Amino acid sequence: MMQLPQHHKPSAHSCCSSWIRRSPPPSPPHKKPGGGGGRGRYACRLVPLLVLTVYSVVTVLRIPSSSLVVSTADSERVERREDLEALKTHLPSNQNSLEAREETPSVASLPCSAFISGEAGHGEGEGVLCCDRSHYRSDVCYLRGDVRTDPSTSSVLLYNAPRGSAAEKVRPYTRKFEDSIMSTIDEVTIQPVAGAYNASASASDGGTLRRRCDVRHPRGVPAVVFSTGGYTGNVYHEFSDGLIPLFVTAQRFAGEVVFVVLEYHYWWLGRYGAVLEQLTNYKVVDFRYDRRVHCFDEMIVGLRIHGELVVDPKLMPNGKSIKDFQALLHQGYSRTTSSASPPVPLPLAPPSRPCPRPAKPKLLIFIRKQNRVLLNLPHVVTACRRAGFAPHVMNLRRQTPLPVIHAALASADAMVAVHGAAVTHFLFMRPGSVLLQIVPVGLDWAADAFYGKPAQQLGLEYLEYKVAPEESSLAAEYGLNSTVVRTPWVISSRGWWEMKKVYMDRQNVTVNIKRFGELLRAARTHLKNTTACSKGAGGGATAALR
């Protein structure tokens, strides 16, 4: 029987590959049928077809089904997708995932400062215990896990602590460099308890009983532990060593934080309660006298500090500055005496007034009673009037309410004060206002570091009146040409306490009214140019007259 031509009897393989290339042409009709040579030639034609078919099937399986049909509109997207595919690594996906996991920093590899500032996130599961002792002003420790207070031993217990953790001791106050005052601060022991312990086990069985929680604080609400001992009682230290570091440490929690206070003073809460209410939504815990066990899942022991009355935006996780702290003070203290009325905010920027200014700018003179007394105060008041100011004398006492001081300064245009703790109240002044500090002999550095630079950072115009040797009471006591008066650095080199004893505790001043009047006129000109004519607040240049 004659063999049919190949194109009359298509094979399954040729059909599957026909969309790639055509089948071979039919056999010539003059070839002999049935011969061995015919079968050999048929095999020769079949082998290439089989190879092409296998190649086609493999190719089809490798092409994604979504790319088999590409419209003209999709062609550009396909090309971009192919370009992106070409950029992918040749490693299998499981290896890629493994490498990504290995590159993610582990808890142990993160610096402690990252946990304290919140850069490491809250995290779950793995316990954390670390201390950052790198700052010369303060030690700060961080705990995460099952944290429980133990007031009876002035301790904090961390259960399921990381393996190998050691006990830490910290005095949560921001003057680490001053041994004499730090020795008076209560010490907190952070005691890690590794492993999972059975609450029913006894000590003889090698187990550890967990302290039962009397107060379980909400999950995600940490504790910040700090001391109000040390120099608390001096308004400068209350802000510089306490409230501002507390703002630096705790403001990122937006109120969802509990303050645990060592050496707690009720008068301190009464004086600064309006500030604390802006930082926490919870009651303050008295660590010493609250005998209950408070339980947290996160705790910071100690306060971060940037410097003297400073909030450095570069060191803050959200870029906050001293102006944000001032806004917090303003919000807390700008309340009317009537509890039925809502708080009325005072302007933080100088009000826009027509030029020339119709009223005399308000100037507050802060006076001292025991040391660094302004001996010719009546003449100073007269000089202020002659310079075009409306002077008001502020005789502060310890019991003077802060809202009263805040209201007076928030509405003032200028402030005059001899160097001392009361100058701290410049924090209540509006940007563009004038701070004029009278600097006694031997206190140049302290005046600039503690008040001058911070006032400029707040946007105030800062002016200095440097007391001449003959204007200091030390000239009458030690002699005008004495080392104490002429070369105060010699005394200061003997240490802070020697400098304080001579230049802060035993000195009064009598300013030269003519020279002082020149500074007052410079302050008046600044206010005319910035406040009255609304040319923008200054606050950069420091003027000094000798």
Side-chain angles (χ1 to χ4, degrees), residues 126-437:
E126 187 175 357
V128 178
L129 170 56
C130 64
C131 292
D132 182 1
R133 303 184 185 273
S134 61
H135 201 281
Y136 81 101
R137 288 290 300 263
S138 66
D139 292 332
V140 186
C141 295
Y142 177 86
L143 300 80
R144 189 173 73 196
D146 185 355
V147 183
R148 309 190 183 198
T149 63
D150 185 2
S152 62
T153 60
S154 191
S155 301
V156 175
L157 306 177
L158 175 62
Y159 292 94
N160 296 331
R163 186 178 300 276
S165 298
E168 301 280 359
K169 294 182 180 293
V170 60
R171 299 182 189 270
Y173 191 64
T174 56
R175 298 189 74 83
K176 185 175 74 172
F177 61 93
E178 197 170 335
D179 293 339
S180 58
I181 200 66
M182 290 300 289
S183 64
T184 69
I185 303 299
D186 288 351
E187 186 176 64
V188 177
T189 300
I190 303 172
Q191 186 65 51
V193 184
Y197 290 84
N198 189 339
S200 62
S202 64
S204 60
D205 297 330
T208 300
L209 289 174
R210 291 198 183 194
R211 297 296 302 267
R212 181 176 60 84
C213 291
D214 298 313
V215 182
R216 168 68 71 178
H217 292 273
R219 193 166 189 79
V221 177
V224 172
V225 181
F226 62 96
S227 174
T228 56
Y231 290 122
T232 300
N234 176 292
V235 66
Y236 170 79
H237 291 286
E238 287 166 2
F239 276 92
S240 186
D241 300 341
L243 293 175
I244 293 180
L246 183 61
F247 173 82
V248 167
T249 307
Q251 62 81 32
R252 69 180 178 89
F253 297 113
E256 290 302 300
V257 60
V258 175
F259 294 151
V260 179
V261 180
L262 282 74
E263 300 171 78
Y264 179 87
H265 304 289
Y266 286 99
W267 65 260
W268 176 83
L269 180 62
R271 188 169 179 81
Y272 296 110
V275 180
L276 301 177
E277 287 176 0
Q278 310 304 312
L279 291 172
T280 178
N281 301 328
Y282 302 87
K283 291 183 178 180
V284 174
V285 176
D286 184 348
F287 188 81
R288 178 185 291 175
Y289 292 106
D290 188 339
R291 313 308 293 179
R292 297 174 298 175
V293 175
H294 291 260
C295 298
F296 304 88
D297 61 0
E298 188 178 11
M299 178 178 284
I300 297 172
V301 183
L303 300 177
R304 298 169 64 225
I305 185 170
H306 295 162
E308 308 293 341
L309 298 179
V310 170
V311 179
D312 188 344
K314 297 188 295 296
L315 300 178
M316 297 292 285
N318 46 18
K320 299 291 185 180
S321 70
I322 189 65
K323 294 181 179 179
D324 295 286
F325 176 74
Q326 186 194 52
L328 180 143
L329 295 178
H330 175 71
Q331 187 174 0
Y333 289 125
S334 62
R335 298 178 178 180
T336 60
T337 54
S338 173
S339 59
S341 303
V344 178
L346 297 172
L348 286 180
S352 177
R353 297 188 177 102
C355 186
R357 185 173 183 152
K360 290 184 178 181
K362 178 181 176 181
L363 181 146
L364 298 183
I365 303 174
F366 283 72
I367 62 173
R368 299 178 60 89
K369 289 294 187 181
Q370 295 182 348
N371 48 43
R372 282 160 282 154
V373 176
L374 190 55
L375 296 176
N376 58 340
L377 175 63
H379 297 90
V380 169
V381 173
T382 300
C384 292
R385 288 198 183 100
R386 288 176 178 172
F389 287 97
H392 300 265
V393 176
M394 294 284 292
N395 183 14
L396 297 184
R397 292 178 171 84
R398 185 63 192 171
Q399 44 287 36
T400 303
L402 276 181
V404 172
I405 303 173
H406 174 268
L409 279 171
S411 61
D413 298 285
M415 170 182 172
V416 172
V418 180
H419 173 76
V423 184
T424 308
H425 295 112
F426 78 81
L427 291 167
F428 295 157
M429 300 181 73
R430 298 167 299 177
S433 302
V434 177
L435 171 61
L436 198 167
Q437 182 178 200

